[in-house]
Amino acid sequence: MAEALDWSTLALQPGSFVDRDLASLHTDLLYTSAWRGGAEALVYVLFEHQSSSDRWMPFRLLRYMVRIWEHWLAKHKKATALPAIVPVVLYHGDERWTAPRGFDTLLDVPEAVRPALADYLVRFAYVLDNLSEIPDHRLQARDPVTAFVDLCLKYAPRGAQFVAILSRYGDLMREVRRTPGGREAFVFVWRYISIVNDEAEHHQALTSVLEREIGPEAKDIIMTVGEQLIQQGRQQGIQEGERGALLRQLRKRFGAQVNDDTERRIATASPEQIALWLDRVLSAATLAELLAD
């Protein structure tokens, strides 16, 4: 497949697919690429990032895939075929991945009957990139940025143990820094490391490793990540405050009509949707009118 794709056309796609009847569906990464040879058809590559095994992963992927196709068909009304979607799960948890790899294994069909029904069942599998089972030397054989990201995803949640592990990869970190886009990779990785290692002792030790291995620029990377996390915290605080304010106003106006479903819709709504609903609190005659999309 890699040889058949025109990698110069690789493009990141919007990953959110919101269903009014369900919770918000948000894919982790969604890319498109054209096939070599100038064909107009695209292939979608859907990435999901997991730190724990999810039994319903094939079903979750299917929901994403259906929404991607629906979105595509809405823009290509004269299409006679659908683009291919290749689902990939990146897993870095400590426990063994036990989720079914094929969708049809989720279906409750007697084994004696399954061969007769095989042609009529939904069947697909997904690529599993299981970092927890890939030896470190094989991860290091990947390109420097990918190797560094994968190793940090694999070991960062291990706290004090990760400090010793990171210390072994000084050469890799310096190679990443020399790579185009290396600084952005460090900011991304350090943000993840800071989130999963919030204990001051571990964080200080990791900071010392980074400063020792890549020099003065480490302080700039650490400050950039710190500013991002502070801004994210402020934004989340504002958004949660707005959601709470909206719920309080709705309960005052509509009382018992504000049920669990209403609370779920507010919890999964986008900031723009919350702002719109807040504007309607005084003007809408009914709860349904207020919460209309």
Side-chain angles (χ1 to χ4, degrees):
M1 176 180 169
E3 293 176 355
L5 291 177
D6 180 357
W7 291 100
S8 68
T9 65
L10 189 72
L12 184 65
Q13 301 297 310
S16 295
F17 300 92
V18 179
D19 192 319
R20 287 176 294 180
D21 299 323
L22 302 169
S24 176
L25 296 177
H26 188 90
T27 61
D28 285 345
L29 286 172
L30 181 64
Y31 289 96
T32 57
S33 177
W35 299 107
R36 291 188 186 277
E40 293 184 5
L42 295 176
V43 59
Y44 282 80
V45 182
L46 167 64
F47 271 94
E48 281 301 295
H49 167 216
Q50 287 288 116
S51 59
S52 60
S53 186
D54 180 359
R55 169 166 179 74
W56 298 106
M57 179 55 68
F59 180 55
R60 185 165 136 199
L61 291 170
L62 179 62
R63 293 171 69 196
Y64 292 148
M65 292 161 72
V66 169
R67 296 297 283 158
I68 292 167
W69 281 320
E70 288 177 341
H71 183 74
W72 190 87
L73 281 173
K75 292 186 174 182
H76 302 81
K77 297 186 182 299
K78 296 183 179 180
T80 58
L82 294 171
I85 301 176
V86 180
V88 181
V89 174
L90 178 67
Y91 176 64
H92 63 92
D94 290 332
E95 302 297 326
R96 190 170 65 89
W97 181 263
T98 58
R101 294 287 301 278
F103 180 83
D104 58 312
T105 61
L106 293 177
L107 302 176
D108 189 5
V109 178
E111 288 304 314
V113 182
R114 188 175 288 271
L117 292 181
D119 290 343
Y120 310 103
L121 302 179
V122 174
R123 301 175 67 187
F124 73 90
Y126 53 89
V127 179
L128 179 64
D129 193 12
N130 191 342
L131 302 185
S132 62
E133 293 184 355
I134 299 175
D136 289 0
H137 71 273
R138 284 181 51 198
L139 292 179
Q140 285 183 270
R142 299 178 175 186
D143 71 88
V145 171
T146 301
F148 182 54
V149 171
D150 287 350
L151 287 165
C152 288
L153 287 174
K154 182 176 180 178
Y155 291 118
R158 300 189 184 183
Q161 183 185 359
F162 179 53
V163 177
I165 293 171
L166 189 65
S167 298
R168 300 201 300 262
Y169 294 114
D171 290 343
L172 177 61
M173 285 191 278
R174 288 187 288 275
E175 189 175 1
V176 170
R177 186 57 200 96
R178 294 191 296 267
T179 301
R183 184 185 182 280
E184 290 75 10
F186 266 107
V187 170
F188 163 77
V189 170
W190 207 254
R191 180 185 175 95
Y192 174 73
I193 289 172
S194 299
I195 291 172
V196 300
N197 288 277
D198 54 359
E199 293 186 25
E201 179 183 357
H202 295 160
H203 192 269
Q204 183 56 47
L206 290 166
T207 298
S208 298
V209 172
L210 187 65
E211 291 177 344
R212 183 183 72 232
E213 299 300 342
I214 70 168
E217 191 176 7
K219 291 185 178 180
D220 177 56
I221 291 171
I222 293 166
M223 287 183 62
T224 299
V225 171
E227 291 170 358
Q228 288 180 353
L229 292 174
I230 290 172
Q231 182 59 35
Q232 178 183 337
R234 288 174 178 165
Q235 190 62 35
Q236 287 177 342
I238 292 170
Q239 292 177 12
E240 291 308 310
E242 290 178 344
R243 293 177 200 277
L246 177 59
L247 269 175
R248 288 193 295 274
Q249 293 295 326
L250 294 185
R251 288 185 178 122
K252 284 182 181 179
R253 283 206 60 192
F254 303 108
Q257 294 181 50
V258 181
N259 53 24
D260 291 344
D261 181 64
T262 305
E263 293 183 6
R264 179 193 59 75
R265 288 192 65 187
I266 292 172
T268 59
S270 67
E272 294 77 15
Q273 189 73 71
I274 294 294
L276 175 62
W277 290 342
L278 278 168
D279 289 342
R280 293 176 180 171
V281 164
L282 296 179
S283 61
T286 65
L287 180 61
E289 179 183 338
L290 189 150
L291 296 178
D293 290 333

